Amino acid sequence: MAAFYYKLDQLLSHCIEKLVKSDLDSGCIDKELPNEISSKIKLLRRKSLQEAESGAEEVDPILEKRLGRIHKALDSDDVKLVELLLSESNLTLDDAHALHYAIAYCDPKIVMEVLSLGSADLNLRNSRGYSVLHVAARRKEPSILMALLTRGANASETASDGQNAVSICRRLTRPKDYNEKTKQGEESNKDRICIDVLEREMRRTSLSENVSILSPSVADDLNMKLDYLENRVAFARLLFPAEARLAMDFANANSTSMNTGLLASKSKGSSGSLREVDLNESPAVQAVRLQSTLHALRKTVETGRRYFPHCSEVLDKFLDDDMPDAIFLDKGTPEEQKTKKRRFMELKDDVQKAFYKDMENNNRPGRTSSSSSSSSPKSGVTYKARRKY
């Protein structure tokens, strides 16, 4: 690109020659390079094939045109058109390497739509020997990585150059960015989230972890479960905003009223919108709505435990100490307010120390700490009834 824009003809010719002989596919070349350069590379490739004595067949121009249309449809965020083009041409998503292309160049929402078609092979390699997870590791978008891993992508699988997803991600991340400290409540660095998610998935797979998100001692009462999960998600958003948002997006929880629990009660002066009484709503309809909300909240917490176990451990301590009651610092007698403020400051200090300790562990090279202990709920943790002041 530099040679092209600065008109360094000799260097440009050398670069084009390298690309002609490379294993980069036509779609990548079309996407990344100016039309003048990409057209020249494809022309030289065709001539090279014609002159070769190996008997290699020339790329079918009709097929190449059809594949180009599919990629353009993805560029236009039109997955319906992609489906139509595939059906008309008898091609598949894998034939077009459509998922590879979407992960490399499209909005995460479009990637999810392509994944929802359900016909793409997550283990398929492109011409360079990369799986879709390897391409996602190059892009470094946490939501895409988590979606692929949840659908069964293998984090330990290596590309043709021997690199797995986490090593690809690390190679493209500056140590300065990875080791940068994040203060409590601030946005975490995306590069570090990607690396940590991939490393935890590799450990999870190797240890065959099967972590339950709820303590066996929790009562079966639906309202109590909702109370706990609402507050847990609310405080996750307060203490770990980037990680909480990722977990919520992945669980599709943003479509649910999440401004609930104690934080919402404080701001609204009510118990939150999830359980407001609707006199026109039948008990059956209300049960379905609450179960749907419970599922979204449960999936959010499950995702957090799977990909962000250290953050979950901090939340375990926060909720186990019954600290949410102390949020209402201006309620009660002067003596009660004083006691609650003291408890709040003590736990806030503990949480902050735990947060920085977690960051230090993440930054320590070659760490091999087991995630099973930090991912599991603390023994004896119970869902306590919240006192209302």
Side-chain angles (χ1 to χ4, degrees):
M1 294 295 290
F4 174 73
Y5 284 117
Y6 288 97
K7 302 187 184 304
L8 307 175
D9 296 337
Q10 186 174 353
L11 178 59
L12 180 60
S13 298
H14 179 70
C15 292
I16 289 175
E17 182 182 348
K18 289 282 188 181
L19 286 170
V20 168
K21 296 177 181 179
S22 75
D23 56 5
L24 283 173
D25 59 84
S26 298
C28 176
I29 290 174
D30 285 337
K31 185 71 177 178
E32 301 287 352
L33 299 174
N35 183 61
E36 178 183 338
I37 301 298
S38 62
S39 298
K40 188 171 184 178
I41 291 171
K42 288 189 284 187
L43 177 62
L44 290 173
R45 279 184 170 180
R46 284 194 290 269
K47 288 183 178 179
S48 178
L49 285 172
Q50 292 171 356
E51 296 171 358
E53 298 178 357
S54 60
E57 296 182 2
E58 185 178 352
V59 176
D60 184 353
I62 297 178
L63 175 62
E64 193 172 15
K65 188 174 182 180
R66 287 174 176 172
L67 296 178
R69 286 175 177 171
I70 293 171
H71 293 164
K72 287 181 180 178
L74 287 170
D75 287 334
S76 302
D77 296 346
D78 195 339
V79 178
K80 291 294 184 183
L81 179 57
V82 171
E83 289 186 273
L84 180 62
L85 292 171
L86 291 174
S87 62
E88 288 181 347
S89 61
N90 291 322
L91 293 172
T92 66
L93 285 173
D94 293 340
D95 292 332
H97 286 96
L99 187 53
H100 285 82
Y101 189 90
I103 290 171
Y105 303 115
C106 297
D107 186 271
K109 180 182 176 182
I110 301 303
V111 176
M112 303 308 168
E113 290 185 23
V114 175
L115 279 170
S116 68
L117 298 178
S119 57
D121 180 4
L122 296 182
N123 298 314
L124 181 70
R125 305 297 187 101
N126 63 12
S127 60
R128 307 194 70 193
Y130 287 128
S131 69
V132 290
L133 190 64
H134 297 144
V135 177
R138 292 179 62 86
R139 178 167 177 175
K140 296 186 291 186
E141 176 56 51
S143 61
I144 294 177
L145 284 171
M146 289 164 61
L148 294 175
L149 291 170
T150 304
R151 284 169 171 79
N154 188 350
S156 60
E157 191 176 42
T158 58
S160 55
D161 59 0
Q163 302 287 325
N164 59 24
V166 71
S167 61
I168 291 172
C169 206
R170 276 195 172 279
R171 186 174 58 187
L172 297 174
T173 300
R174 297 185 305 174
K176 175 184 176 183
D177 293 335
Y178 182 83
N179 295 320
E180 184 180 7
K181 289 188 176 181
T182 304
K183 294 182 180 179
Q184 181 178 321
E186 287 186 352
E187 294 283 337
S188 297
N189 182 280
K190 270 190 174 184
D191 294 355
R192 181 163 60 198
I193 290 178
C194 288
I195 292 171
D196 288 348
V197 162
L198 288 167
E199 288 184 341
R200 285 166 185 155
E201 179 63 16
M202 290 181 70
R203 291 197 297 270
R204 188 194 69 85
T205 302
S206 64
L207 296 173
S208 300
E209 292 177 355
N210 184 19
V211 180
S212 171
I213 70 164
L214 297 176
S215 170
S217 60
V218 176
D220 291 331
D221 181 74
L222 177 61
N223 285 324
M224 188 170 289
K225 288 181 180 179
L226 282 170
D227 181 51
Y228 175 82
L229 293 172
E230 288 169 18
N231 291 331
R232 186 181 184 90
V233 172
F235 283 110
R237 294 176 67 189
L238 178 66
L239 297 173
F240 309 104
E243 290 82 351
R245 186 168 59 251
L246 273 170
M248 290 172 62
D249 288 344
F250 187 75
N252 197 28
N254 284 316
S255 61
T256 308
S257 177
M258 298 296 285
N259 294 319
T260 55
L262 291 170
L263 294 184
S265 301
K266 185 181 179 185
S267 62
K268 297 179 181 180
S270 67
S271 60
S273 60
L274 273 178
R275 279 165 278 172
E276 289 178 353
V277 177
D278 183 353
L279 297 178
N280 296 319
E281 187 178 53
S282 67
V285 172
Q286 183 186 51
V288 170
R289 176 171 61 83
L290 293 180
Q291 286 290 349
S292 175
T293 301
L294 178 66
H295 174 74
L297 290 165
R298 189 190 296 267
K299 189 173 181 182
T300 299
V301 176
E302 183 180 26
T303 302
R305 285 201 183 280
R306 177 173 178 176
Y307 295 109
F308 311 113
H310 300 296
C311 298
S312 296
E313 189 175 8
V314 171
L315 289 171
D316 282 338
K317 176 175 176 58
F318 193 84
L319 293 170
D320 187 32
D321 284 357
D322 206 22
M323 198 57 226
D325 289 342
I327 285 294
F328 301 98
L329 300 178
D330 56 347
K331 301 293 183 180
T333 65
E335 186 62 29
E336 288 175 339
Q337 292 181 34
K338 184 177 179 180
T339 301
K340 286 189 290 184
K341 286 179 181 178
R342 183 175 66 253
R343 288 179 59 221
F344 180 81
M345 295 307 297
E346 288 173 354
L347 187 57
K348 182 179 178 182
D349 184 58
D350 289 342
V351 169
Q352 192 167 33
K353 287 178 181 177
F355 179 84
Y356 286 124
K357 182 179 178 181
D358 179 48
M359 290 299 98
E360 290 174 3
N361 289 336
N362 283 341
N363 295 338
R364 189 175 299 136
R367 62 188 185 281
T368 56
S369 60
S370 171
S371 58
S372 58
S373 60
S374 59
S375 301
S376 304
K378 296 169 62 178
S379 59
V381 174
T382 58
Y383 287 52
K384 303 179 182 178
R386 306 302 179 199
R387 298 188 299 274
K388 294 184 179 179
Y389 294 94

